[in-house]
């Protein structure tokens, strides 16, 4: 029986962007415990603010300060918070229309349980102890005993040292489960064998297999062992070290058409200076103990393959 495979995967990167005058004023205001919106030509106050009217597409710059209290317009209970969410314990995600605003702001609402939350309830901002000009300067919303409403007023938008840019960490954690074709392929790699699948229509052998021919869209089931040697069809030299990578730069990543395969796969080339890697170079896999896949490919010492033998390999 083939092994059922799963793997935890994380996609993580920092997203850095500069801010225009409206977003800069909004985040600078949060740092100063002030909430700013923008007023449209028809008098609506938008919070969070935008730089262009979503109805007319007109540019809008008329900043308006709104209250730090408001009411819940809708909500959903989050009984199992994930890492890096606003609160470590169960809370509600709520849309809150602040007093003086005509649109609602999405944020966390700290409440004792779903029975303590209702549409129309009064809430107020709980500010973060340390503020730096980000939406997280609002730690969350919390129930508010008073029913008093704030009033919008014009605001100059002038603060010392305005926030001009933000870096937002983006992260996605998920568990990957390969399908039938990829599971066969990965289980074979653990035995230092490479399996592809042949299309019953065009007869091309796809490695790694996808369960369907990428050219014809026809389901594939016929297994074909390929390689282990192959030919470099194209390559690039990597000069930037990836975060947490244990590979010294520069290094070469290549498309490698394994013998018997019609589609090239990716692989790192080592055992040769970067400036000696070339199209047509014959290579073979190098395995490290315990690895499910080749650590890298190295030159075999064979003569280079003729261009006509690999020019059709994608």
């Amino acid at each position: 029986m083939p092994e059922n495979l799963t793997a935890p995967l994380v996609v993580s990167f920092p997203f850095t962007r500069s801010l225009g005058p409206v977003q800069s004023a909004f985040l600078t205001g949060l740092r100063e415990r002030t909430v700013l919106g923008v007023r449209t030509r028809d008098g609506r106050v938008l919070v969070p603010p935008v730089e262009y009217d979503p109805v007319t597409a007109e540019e809008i710059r008329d900043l308006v300060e709104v209250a730090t209290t408001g009411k819940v317009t809708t909500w959903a209970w989050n009984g199992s918070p994930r890492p890096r969410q606003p609160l470590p314990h169960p809370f509600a995600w709520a849309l809150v229309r602040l007093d003086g605003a005509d649109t609602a702001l999405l944020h966390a609402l700290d409440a004792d349980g779903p029975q303590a939350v209702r549409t129309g309830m009064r809430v107020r901002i709980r500010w973060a102890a340390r503020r730096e000009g980000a939406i997280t300067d609002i730690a969350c919303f919390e129930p508010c005993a008073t029913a008093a409403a704030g009033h919008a007023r014009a605001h100059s938008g002038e603060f010392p040292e305005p926030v001009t840019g933000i870096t937002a960490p983006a992260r996605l954690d998920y568990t990957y489960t390969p399908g039938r074709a990829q599971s066969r392929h990965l289980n074979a790699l653990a035995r230092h064998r490479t399996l592809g699948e042949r299309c019953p229509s065009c007869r091309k052998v796809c490695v790694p297999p996808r369960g369907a021919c990428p050219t014809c869209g026809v389901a594939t089931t016929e297994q074909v062992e390929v390689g282990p040697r192959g030919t470099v069809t194209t390559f690039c030299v990597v000069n930037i070290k990836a975060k947490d990578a244990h590979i010294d730069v520069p290094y070469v990543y290549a498309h490698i058409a394994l013998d018997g395969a019609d589609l090239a796969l990716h692989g790192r080339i080592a055992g040769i200076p970067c400036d000696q890697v070339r199209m047509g170079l014959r290579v073979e896999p190098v395995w490290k103990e315990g690895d499910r896949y080749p650590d890298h490919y190295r030159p075999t010492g064979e003569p280079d393959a003729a261009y006509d033998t690999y020019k059709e390999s994608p």
Side-chain angles (χ1 to χ4, degrees):
M1 290 289 290
E3 180 185 352
N4 292 323
L5 303 175
T6 61
L9 295 180
V10 177
V11 179
S12 178
F13 60 92
F15 177 68
T16 302
R17 59 159 292 187
S18 57
L19 301 173
V22 172
Q23 298 299 322
S24 174
F26 175 65
L27 294 181
T28 303
L30 293 185
R31 189 186 64 192
E32 307 297 325
R33 296 196 298 184
T34 299
V35 183
L36 297 177
V38 286
R39 192 191 306 277
T40 64
R41 180 173 293 186
D42 62 6
R44 291 173 299 128
V45 176
L46 310 182
V47 179
V50 294
E51 296 182 347
Y52 296 90
D53 191 314
V55 176
T56 67
E58 285 184 290
E59 185 176 13
I60 43 181
R61 298 287 182 88
D62 184 13
L63 296 172
V64 173
E65 183 177 345
V66 299
T68 58
T69 56
K71 67 178 181 179
V72 173
T73 62
T74 190
W75 60 276
W77 187 253
N78 179 11
S80 301
R82 296 180 61 83
R84 301 179 66 87
Q85 287 191 334
L87 297 172
H89 52 268
F91 63 90
W93 288 110
L95 282 171
V96 177
R97 186 166 63 239
L98 295 173
D99 299 327
D102 295 289
T103 56
L105 173 71
L106 176 66
H107 216 298
L109 169 60
D110 192 4
D112 293 335
Q115 72 283 351
V117 186
R118 67 184 187 281
T119 299
M121 71 181 293
R122 298 287 300 169
V123 295
R124 64 186 175 196
I125 290 175
R126 180 192 299 167
W127 295 102
R130 181 178 179 181
R131 299 179 303 282
E132 53 187 20
I135 191 62
T136 49
D137 291 352
I138 299 176
C140 62
F141 283 92
E142 59 188 9
C144 178
T146 177
H151 299 282
R153 66 177 189 271
H155 196 279
S156 68
E158 296 179 358
F159 291 101
E161 300 178 9
V163 178
T164 58
I166 58 172
T167 300
R171 181 183 175 98
L172 175 64
D173 295 75
Y174 64 101
T175 299
Y176 173 70
T177 302
R180 170 195 54 79
Q182 288 188 328
S183 292
R184 286 176 176 175
H185 175 70
L186 293 171
N187 282 316
L189 284 178
R191 302 188 298 273
H192 295 191
R193 299 171 58 218
T194 305
L195 288 182
E197 288 189 347
R198 189 189 307 278
C199 174
S201 177
C202 68
R203 306 302 293 169
K204 289 183 178 179
V205 176
C206 180
V207 179
R210 298 166 172 83
C213 176
T215 302
C216 306
V218 178
T220 55
T221 57
E222 180 188 349
Q223 297 180 67
V224 179
E225 185 167 355
V226 301
R229 295 185 171 188
T231 300
V232 173
T233 64
T234 188
F235 65 93
C236 68
V237 179
V238 180
N239 290 293
I240 300 175
K241 188 175 179 64
K243 182 181 179 182
D244 299 328
H246 303 294
I247 305 172
D248 293 332
V249 295
Y251 61 90
V252 173
Y253 239 77
H255 274 188
I256 302 168
L258 296 181
D259 296 344
D262 295 289
L263 297 178
L265 51 72
H266 293 111
R268 182 170 64 92
I269 307 299
I272 184 175
C274 292
D275 60 4
Q276 293 183 24
V277 177
R278 56 198 178 273
M279 293 171 61
L281 180 69
R282 295 285 294 163
V283 294
E284 62 186 1
V286 176
W287 305 81
K288 287 188 175 180
E289 185 176 356
D291 281 354
R292 280 188 168 271
Y293 47 85
D295 178 72
H296 63 273
Y297 287 79
R298 67 187 177 195
T300 65
E302 300 171 280
D304 287 2
Y307 176 66
D308 284 346
T309 64
Y310 63 85
K311 67 180 183 180
E312 300 295 335
S313 297

